[in-house]
Amino acid sequence: MLARLQSAFQRQQQFTADASHELRTPVAVLLAQSECALFGGDSLDEHRQALVACQRAGKRMQSLIEGLLTLARCDAGNVLSERREVDLAEVVKSSVRMLAPTAEEKNISVTSDLQPAQVMGDANRLSQVVVNLVQHAIIYNKPGGQVRVKLHSADQNVSLAITDTGIGIAADHLPHIYDRFYRVDPSRSEQGAASGLGLAITQEIIHAHGGHIEVLSQPGVGSTFAVHLPAMPESPAPRNHTDHATKGASSDNPDSS
Ligand code: ADP
């Protein structure tokens, strides 16, 4: 009991130290650049560059603070603001559509194969999960690579698999990728690209929906992240309702960008 308390306390201390460290860098950039704009060069171009750097640092802080707030909600057990029937295929479709410009920019093709799937939960949070995973599949891909999104429902279980042809993750990193602030390549954070909170939040949201996430990865070949969620129990077929023929039927909805 004492050992468990000690370990929880150490984790909390580490988390606070990591969060402070992560915020210190953009604050330092913000102060240095604003000082430079106030007391440094006079040219419009120099001022503009300083403002761009300030804006980038501000965005980084905003994303970190939002991530920290979401994790605080997870820890307090109230990350889901609602629990209602969610059409997961629709959530996946709109999340993939939202990321089409990012995929296009990196010349990545995204294809979807979506079966109808209803789950109980918070549509916004589920969308956050899909966006995180598909975004990673695009960002950690190779130029000209592919992402496949497959949603499938069977035996009261819904599975969402996101497969990429990207850089993959080495076996020794896999046990840590859901840890808060963990990054396989910390140098990416300097470019403002990664907070190291994405998968921690993703996993918490999935757990809050009674599901789990697993990953299969091979360095240089790619990764598959699979999310498993409990399906909504089928409601009894309404009488004299002919539309019902389409429900539960397997359907392929290719959605490319
Ligand atoms: P980050 O903000 O750094 O992306 P995450 O918590 O979302 O943080 O992910 C943790 C690490 O897992 C990332 O730094 C990245 O190295 C690795 N990772 C996540 N998804 C993928 C993927 N699809 N392919 C390769 N590496 C990935």
Side-chain angles (χ1 to χ4, degrees):
M1 171 74 128
L2 213 60
R4 276 218 308 273
L5 278 173
Q6 174 86 8
S7 139
F9 181 63
Q10 275 170 353
R11 272 203 313 274
Q12 187 60 41
Q13 267 186 329
Q14 185 62 48
F15 178 68
T16 311
D18 289 343
S20 317
H21 177 78
E22 293 290 333
L23 283 165
R24 208 163 49 176
T25 311
V27 169
V29 171
L30 204 70
L31 290 175
Q33 292 292 337
S34 51
E35 201 152 312
C36 178
L38 284 170
F39 309 112
D42 290 331
S43 82
L44 197 64
D45 199 40
E46 278 170 308
H47 282 186
R48 197 186 301 275
Q49 274 178 23
L51 276 175
V52 168
C54 287
Q55 191 188 43
R56 204 179 306 129
K59 280 187 182 161
R60 178 150 181 75
M61 280 192 283
Q62 186 185 42
S63 125
L64 271 167
I65 290 164
E66 271 167 15
L68 291 170
L69 272 174
T70 306
L71 283 171
R73 288 203 185 100
C74 293
D75 292 344
N78 58 12
V79 69
L80 308 186
S81 31
E82 57 179 26
R83 270 190 171 274
R84 57 170 66 178
E85 189 172 349
V86 177
D87 178 346
L88 196 58
E90 201 42 58
V91 167
V92 174
K93 228 190 271 182
S94 60
S95 309
V96 168
R97 206 179 299 133
M98 201 158 75
L99 290 166
T102 317
E104 209 168 310
E105 202 179 299
K106 282 204 76 181
N107 190 24
I108 307 288
S109 77
V110 183
T111 53
S112 308
D113 172 3
L114 311 177
Q115 285 187 359
Q118 305 293 120
V119 297
M120 186 63 113
D122 181 331
N124 288 329
R125 291 298 186 197
L126 288 168
S127 169
Q128 194 174 354
V129 165
V130 181
V131 168
N132 270 345
L133 295 176
V134 178
Q135 197 168 34
H136 282 141
I138 295 170
I139 290 173
Y140 295 107
N141 218 314
K142 300 168 190 151
Q146 285 130 38
V147 175
R148 271 183 294 126
V149 183
K150 191 170 162 74
L151 178 65
H152 136 113
S153 179
D155 303 332
Q156 297 304 310
N157 285 307
V158 167
S159 305
L160 172 69
I162 291 140
T163 302
D164 65 61
T165 55
I167 58 174
I169 305 165
D172 51 333
H173 288 290
L174 283 176
H176 307 291
I177 56 173
Y178 303 106
D179 293 351
R180 297 172 184 194
F181 295 115
Y182 189 84
R183 298 179 190 95
V184 172
D185 177 5
S187 68
R188 286 180 61 90
S189 62
E190 258 85 88
Q191 301 156 18
S195 69
L197 294 179
L199 284 179
I201 292 171
T202 297
Q203 188 187 45
E204 293 279 2
I205 295 173
I206 294 165
H207 286 173
H209 282 87
H212 65 281
I213 180 166
E214 51 191 5
V215 58
L216 277 174
S217 191
Q218 210 181 329
V221 177
S223 312
T224 295
F225 281 85
V227 176
H228 304 280
L229 295 168
M232 279 276 299
E234 286 265 339
S235 42
R239 288 186 171 191
N240 303 327
H241 194 284
T242 46
D243 274 1
H244 189 67
T246 52
K247 185 140 196 279
S250 158
S251 83
D252 285 357
N253 290 331
D255 200 14
S256 308
S257 61

PDB file of all heavy atoms in Angstrom, residues 76 107 124 190 223 243 257:
ATOM      1  N   ALA A  76     -10.337  13.233 -13.228  1.00  0.00           N
ATOM      2  CA  ALA A  76     -11.487  13.486 -12.346  1.00  0.00           C
ATOM      3  C   ALA A  76     -12.685  12.612 -12.737  1.00  0.00           C
ATOM      4  O   ALA A  76     -13.730  12.668 -12.090  1.00  0.00           O
ATOM      5  CB  ALA A  76     -11.869  14.959 -12.417  1.00  0.00           C
ATOM      6  N   ASN A 107       0.863  14.389 -49.476  1.00  0.00           N
ATOM      7  CA  ASN A 107       0.694  13.427 -50.561  1.00  0.00           C
ATOM      8  C   ASN A 107       0.417  12.012 -50.032  1.00  0.00           C
ATOM      9  O   ASN A 107       1.009  11.025 -50.474  1.00  0.00           O
ATOM     10  CB  ASN A 107       1.949  13.452 -51.461  1.00  0.00           C
ATOM     11  CG  ASN A 107       1.733  12.670 -52.722  1.00  0.00           C
ATOM     12  OD1 ASN A 107       0.603  12.491 -53.155  1.00  0.00           O
ATOM     13  ND2 ASN A 107       2.819  12.180 -53.310  1.00  0.00           N
ATOM     14  N   ASN A 124     -18.096  14.052 -29.638  1.00  0.00           N
ATOM     15  CA  ASN A 124     -16.941  14.955 -29.788  1.00  0.00           C
ATOM     16  C   ASN A 124     -15.645  14.287 -29.344  1.00  0.00           C
ATOM     17  O   ASN A 124     -14.606  14.414 -29.987  1.00  0.00           O
ATOM     18  CB  ASN A 124     -17.146  16.239 -28.981  1.00  0.00           C
ATOM     19  CG  ASN A 124     -18.194  17.105 -29.623  1.00  0.00           C
ATOM     20  OD1 ASN A 124     -18.353  17.094 -30.850  1.00  0.00           O
ATOM     21  ND2 ASN A 124     -18.946  17.826 -28.812  1.00  0.00           N
ATOM     22  N   GLU A 190      10.598  20.211 -30.585  1.00  0.00           N
ATOM     23  CA  GLU A 190      11.220  21.514 -30.821  1.00  0.00           C
ATOM     24  C   GLU A 190      10.605  22.196 -32.043  1.00  0.00           C
ATOM     25  O   GLU A 190      10.551  23.395 -32.146  1.00  0.00           O
ATOM     26  CB  GLU A 190      12.731  21.350 -31.025  1.00  0.00           C
ATOM     27  CG  GLU A 190      13.532  21.736 -29.796  1.00  0.00           C
ATOM     28  CD  GLU A 190      13.653  20.595 -28.809  1.00  0.00           C
ATOM     29  OE1 GLU A 190      14.579  19.827 -28.964  1.00  0.00           O
ATOM     30  OE2 GLU A 190      12.810  20.484 -27.895  1.00  0.00           O
ATOM     31  N   SER A 223       2.323   0.996 -39.014  1.00  0.00           N
ATOM     32  CA  SER A 223       1.650   0.675 -37.739  1.00  0.00           C
ATOM     33  C   SER A 223       0.157   0.506 -37.968  1.00  0.00           C
ATOM     34  O   SER A 223      -0.418   1.118 -38.864  1.00  0.00           O
ATOM     35  CB  SER A 223       1.812   1.821 -36.738  1.00  0.00           C
ATOM     36  OG  SER A 223       3.136   2.262 -36.665  1.00  0.00           O
ATOM     37  N   ASP A 243     -37.639   0.393 -44.026  1.00  0.00           N
ATOM     38  CA  ASP A 243     -36.277   0.931 -44.081  1.00  0.00           C
ATOM     39  C   ASP A 243     -35.271   0.027 -43.398  1.00  0.00           C
ATOM     40  O   ASP A 243     -34.080   0.119 -43.636  1.00  0.00           O
ATOM     41  CB  ASP A 243     -36.211   2.279 -43.322  1.00  0.00           C
ATOM     42  CG  ASP A 243     -36.593   3.399 -44.238  1.00  0.00           C
ATOM     43  OD1 ASP A 243     -36.912   3.100 -45.388  1.00  0.00           O
ATOM     44  OD2 ASP A 243     -36.564   4.553 -43.770  1.00  0.00           O
ATOM     45  N   SER A 257      -8.870  10.767 -50.193  1.00  0.00           N
ATOM     46  CA  SER A 257      -8.461  12.148 -50.344  1.00  0.00           C
ATOM     47  C   SER A 257      -7.119  12.162 -51.052  1.00  0.00           C
ATOM     48  O   SER A 257      -6.346  11.261 -50.942  1.00  0.00           O
ATOM     49  CB  SER A 257      -8.328  12.817 -48.992  1.00  0.00           C
ATOM     50  OG  SER A 257      -7.356  12.160 -48.235  1.00  0.00           O
TER      51      SER A 257
END
